[in-house]
Amino acid sequence: MNNNVRIVIAGPRGRMGKEAVKLVQEVENFELVAVIDRKNNGMMLSDVEGLPNVAVPIYSDIAECLGNVPADVLIDLTIPETGYVHTKTALQHGVRPVVGTTGFTKEQLTELKSLAEEKEIGCIIAPNFAIGAILMMKFSQMAAKYFPNVEILELHHDNKLDAPSGTAIKTAEMIAENRPEQKQGHPDEKETIQGARGADFEGMRIHSVRLPGLVAHQQVQFGAEGESLTIRHDSYNRASFMSGVKMSVDTVMNLNTLVYGLDNIIN
Ligand SMILES: NC(=O)c1ccc[n+]([C@@H]2O[C@H](COP(=O)([O-])OP(=O)(O)OC[C@H]3O[C@@H](n4cnc5c(N)ncnc54)[C@H](O)[C@@H]3O)[C@@H](O)[C@H]2O)c1
Ligand SMILES: O=C(O)C1=N[C@H](C(=O)O)CCC1
């Protein structure tokens, strides 16, 4: 009997998608069975120049793909609107989503969690797959108990669509569990240029930097009387996310609900 985990990847031509295709080819019990790409419908992955030489079909429509190809897991690395539709459709087909795509709304996350529970299958939505980034979030949550004055600086490449990053939002949510809501800075401060103080999450400020040359970086900066603490993580390439993708695929097979963030998986 074949115990392979049968995987569909959405977004195989993207920066993350290419790494994920490589990962699935390298892991012994992972099997790539199809890909979802908005171009090249009906072709084989191996027929498209610049894509890996793997003989699996390309679909543009996820429902058609999952209706034709038996699969266990969908890895989605696309864009926010598409990622949401893909996740929902996969759950409806009994296929377990592992989602790296960021930019989902709170309402979408709530709806997808209900659907995963209704179908009694696993789903992982991970704003950041890098193990170091998860630790950075956990350490920041721990520090916030003692240092409630905190600002988040996230820095990414300039092709990123969403701001603030999924990682920054998740970090702020985790910190907020350990920090009573409080306005950061002077009570009477005024922005003379709109946006100067960044986005406001329960009074905590998030600053988004977008520059060519960057990959994914975040600095959580705490300040107190006479001291400061900075917790920083840097991803220098997309391979840094792949151990988290592998862990997610392995884990999602044993879940029957939606898990948002690998902080809930790494103890
Ligand atoms: N969770 C993490 O650790 C992590 C790490 C890096 C990036 N990301 C997120 O992953 C996503 C992808 O990032 P990227 O840098 O690879 O972006 P990218 O722009 O390089 O790739 C996105 C791909 O999605 C494809 N796409 C768009 N619409 C599609 C559709 N309808 N069907 C199929 N494919 C479609 C595009 O053609 C493109 O190839 C983003 O949301 C990003 O924020 C998450
Ligand atoms: O490259 C991106 O885009 C990334 N997005 C994630 C986020 O929004 O937090 C994390 C890492 C890279």
Side-chain angles (χ1 to χ4, degrees):
M1 195 180 132
N2 184 347
N3 285 324
N4 283 352
V5 183
R6 298 163 301 178
I7 298 172
V8 173
I9 294 179
R13 285 185 297 116
R15 289 174 288 260
M16 282 290 282
K18 280 193 183 121
E19 286 292 336
V21 170
K22 228 191 288 170
L23 171 81
V24 171
Q25 285 179 277
E26 283 165 8
V27 178
E28 206 181 325
N29 68 321
F30 287 3
E31 182 183 353
L32 188 66
V33 291
V35 296
I36 301 168
D37 182 11
R38 59 180 159 187
K39 280 192 191 163
N40 309 309
N41 185 42
M43 294 176 76
M44 299 297 277
L45 194 61
S46 46
D47 294 335
V48 181
E49 214 183 295
L51 289 186
N53 186 19
V54 194
V56 296
I58 303 175
Y59 287 87
S60 288
D61 183 74
I62 185 162
E64 191 190 341
C65 174
L66 300 182
N68 283 336
V69 182
D72 302 302
V73 171
L74 166 77
I75 300 178
D76 190 88
L77 298 160
T78 59
I79 56 174
E81 300 73 29
T82 303
Y84 164 69
V85 173
H86 282 176
T87 307
K88 193 171 168 175
T89 312
L91 288 170
Q92 285 162 342
H93 281 78
V95 174
R96 294 156 189 269
V98 166
V99 181
T101 306
T102 51
F104 288 14
T105 64
K106 252 191 165 152
E107 292 70 31
Q108 287 173 334
L109 290 172
T110 305
E111 188 202 334
L112 293 169
K113 189 171 170 69
S114 300
L115 186 55
E117 282 167 7
E118 183 194 315
K119 298 282 177 189
E120 294 184 8
I121 59 167
C123 173
I124 294 179
I125 299 184
N128 202 314
F129 286 117
I131 306 304
I134 310 305
L135 294 175
M136 174 257 299
M137 290 185 239
K138 280 182 175 270
F139 296 157
S140 300
Q141 184 180 41
M142 205 187 290
K145 194 169 164 193
Y146 306 98
F147 291 90
N149 287 285
V150 50
E151 306 223 352
I152 298 172
L153 179 67
E154 57 96 341
L155 311 91
H156 281 83
H157 59 91
D158 60 350
N159 283 312
K160 186 160 179 59
L161 293 176
D162 51 319
S165 69
T167 309
I169 296 170
K170 182 74 163 103
T171 308
E173 288 169 352
M174 288 170 67
I175 288 176
E177 286 172 22
N178 265 359
R179 166 193 183 271
E181 181 163 352
Q182 69 170 62
K183 189 175 180 293
Q184 203 79 35
H186 195 286
D188 298 331
E189 75 180 7
K190 285 199 176 50
E191 289 183 334
T192 53
I193 298 179
Q194 196 193 343
R197 290 288 290 117
D200 185 337
F201 186 101
E202 296 191 7
M204 200 185 318
R205 297 296 174 156
I206 305 177
H207 309 271
S208 297
V209 175
R210 297 290 177 264
L211 285 172
L214 294 175
V215 177
H217 317 261
Q218 182 168 292
Q219 185 162 312
V220 185
Q221 205 158 328
F222 298 88
E225 184 54 45
E227 62 177 323
S228 76
L229 170 67
T230 301
I231 302 174
R232 183 175 168 114
H233 176 261
D234 297 274
S235 270
Y236 299 112
N237 61 34
R238 270 105 193 161
S240 66
F241 302 113
M242 293 304 129
S243 56
V245 174
K246 179 179 182 308
M247 182 195 299
S248 301
V249 171
D250 289 334
T251 306
V252 81
M253 294 304 295
N254 299 313
L255 293 175
N256 57 8
T257 185
L258 183 150
V259 170
Y260 167 54
L262 295 191
D263 51 294
N264 295 299
I265 287 169
I266 293 174
N267 293 310

